[in-house]
Amino acid sequence: MRAAVHTAVNEPMTIEEIADPHPKAGEVAIDVLSCGACHSDLHVLKGELPFPTPAVLGHEVAGVVSEVGPGVTGVRVGDRVVTSFIMPCGRCAQCTRGNSEICLEFFAHNRAKGLLYDGQTRLFRPGGEPVWMYSMGGLAERSVTPVTSVYQVPDEVELADVASVGCSTMTAYGALRHAADVRVGDAVAVVAAGGVGSSLIQLAALFGASTIVAVDISADKLDAASALGATHVVNSAEVDAPEAIRELTGGRGVDVAFEALGSPATFGVARDSVVEGGQVVVVGIAPKGSVGEFDLATIARRKLQIKGSYGAKPQRDMPVLLDLVARGRLRPQDTVSRRFAFDEVQDAYDALNRREIRGRAVIDIA
């Protein structure tokens, strides 16, 4: 099969022929139709998130099941599916406590080493050299993943529309539903209106937030945010964003501010934009070593809550999200601004790095 292989930091990915991967017990193989281009992949490409090479990145996969491993139930060859970027083992201490979004095995084996849960990769170059997997290695014609990350797409939903549900939408849903528990009538700010930020805006409107303030430095992204449901937009390159947010909320501030980029600057905007007793939810994946500052006395006196959110709970939440898509309540395709052919995969990430992508870019592989 063909795969986009990441060989070195700050070097372009190359399309290579590598061996077809096959599933083992509890796993499935997927013929990949499309894969979203996520900012966390870009962090790996730039060396901001350490990861072994050579590797195949990509973790927002939509495709068709082509093979199932021993012991797999509920999924059959030919099923149209989407994957969650978190691949719960279902056995570790966090999974058994209901915290599958921070599965210990996922972080120890896959995010740290590019392996699946038997301590091996499924990807190899023709000569037998191992190729490591970032999640399921979706930037390839075929992908293998644990069945715990595979979800059937309803018949009435276009498969090409839902790749981003597996990370961008799921990450946003986890932050809104589990970290912040946004309620009808809440006022929220989304700081950075990129891929995850776009999904946060779309879902916040669905959750019934009365005020949704999108903050970014790009006028194009702010225009897109308005179309997705933002009630107000603030260009932080032109004005003091926390001050503008307080003006928009009658001096009060928002109930929840979501930091959706992963930078000290955007964290500062989120921190300074919330009402007393409000929540700052950090969603963006920052380069290792990034530090956000806060005053301990201010946090105590204003009863601020600072939370981290890595994603939704896949087995509980992915069926909910796909049902919302099937009923037309949620339209992930509206967050996709550009599509790239597989041979243009590096172009997609270069455009993402230049901040040219509004919402999400998708690579069409099949």
Side-chain angles (χ1 to χ4, degrees):
M1 70 170 185
R2 296 198 308 159
V5 180
H6 165 52
T7 57
V9 169
N10 291 320
E11 291 294 328
M13 288 180 284
T14 56
I15 304 291
E16 297 185 20
E17 291 282 346
I18 67 174
D20 288 345
H22 296 283
K24 295 186 178 181
E27 299 171 354
V28 303
I30 299 167
D31 287 344
V32 180
L33 173 68
S34 57
C35 183
C38 181
H39 215 97
S40 62
D41 294 327
L42 183 62
H43 283 317
V44 173
L45 292 170
K46 295 169 69 175
E48 295 167 346
L49 290 179
F51 199 76
T53 56
V56 175
L57 311 182
H59 52 269
E60 291 185 344
V61 170
V64 177
V65 174
S66 54
E67 186 179 354
V68 299
V72 169
T73 60
V75 177
R76 298 177 298 179
V77 171
D79 283 349
R80 302 159 68 250
V81 297
V82 65
T83 63
S84 68
F85 81 99
I86 299 169
M87 308 180 300
C89 73
R91 303 180 303 273
C92 71
Q94 292 294 356
C95 282
T96 55
R97 291 173 187 161
N99 299 323
S100 58
E101 73 275 25
I102 49 174
C103 169
L104 298 176
E105 294 296 302
F106 176 67
F107 285 100
H109 284 86
N110 187 266
R111 273 299 187 259
K113 301 175 182 176
L115 307 171
L116 295 187
Y117 301 146
D118 62 351
Q120 299 178 41
T121 181
R122 301 293 178 266
L123 302 180
F124 297 90
R125 282 173 163 160
E129 179 187 1
V131 178
W132 314 115
M133 306 168 65
Y134 194 65
S135 284
M136 65 286 301
L139 291 173
E141 292 177 326
R142 198 177 207 225
S143 172
V144 167
T145 185
V147 71
T148 53
S149 75
V150 177
Y151 299 87
Q152 293 189 44
V153 174
D155 292 341
E156 59 269 37
V157 174
E158 288 289 338
L159 191 56
D161 289 342
V162 292
S164 64
V165 172
C167 176
S168 177
T169 309
M170 192 179 79
T171 298
Y173 185 85
L176 283 152
R177 172 67 181 83
H178 300 301
D181 192 19
V182 168
R183 305 292 181 92
V184 172
D186 281 351
V188 305
V190 176
V191 186
V196 172
S198 295
S199 294
L200 281 163
I201 292 162
Q202 194 177 53
L203 281 166
L206 187 59
F207 275 45
S210 61
T211 300
I212 304 169
V213 184
V215 181
D216 208 283
I217 60 174
S218 164
D220 286 345
K221 290 182 180 180
L222 293 174
D223 287 343
S226 294
L228 290 170
T231 60
H232 304 83
V233 298
V234 171
N235 191 320
S236 56
E238 298 175 354
V239 299
D240 181 291
E243 181 178 327
I245 288 170
R246 293 191 181 280
E247 289 178 1
L248 290 168
T249 55
R252 177 178 179 273
V254 292
D255 299 293
V256 188
F258 297 96
E259 191 287 320
L261 179 62
S263 81
T266 49
F267 173 79
V269 171
R271 175 200 63 208
D272 295 340
S273 300
V274 295
V275 68
E276 285 77 5
Q279 303 177 74
V280 177
V281 181
V282 179
V283 184
I285 302 298
K288 190 174 182 179
S290 300
V291 177
E293 295 183 351
F294 50 85
D295 184 279
L296 291 176
T298 300
I299 289 176
R301 181 175 54 80
R302 298 185 62 223
K303 198 181 176 182
L304 300 185
Q305 303 173 64
I306 298 175
K307 301 178 177 180
S309 180
Y310 191 67
K313 302 175 187 298
Q315 290 158 303
R316 179 192 304 182
D317 297 331
M318 282 290 283
V320 172
L321 290 169
L322 290 170
D323 178 64
L324 289 170
V325 175
R327 292 191 286 122
R329 301 291 306 281
L330 178 63
R331 291 178 52 84
Q333 64 269 35
D334 290 349
T335 70
V336 176
S337 61
R338 292 183 65 180
R339 304 188 80 97
F340 294 80
F342 193 20
D343 289 335
E344 301 171 321
V345 60
Q346 186 61 46
D347 295 336
Y349 286 94
D350 289 343
L352 185 63
N353 190 42
R354 293 192 299 265
R355 298 181 178 271
E356 295 173 358
I357 302 299
R358 290 183 291 105
R360 192 51 114 213
V362 172
I363 295 100
D364 293 314
I365 292 175

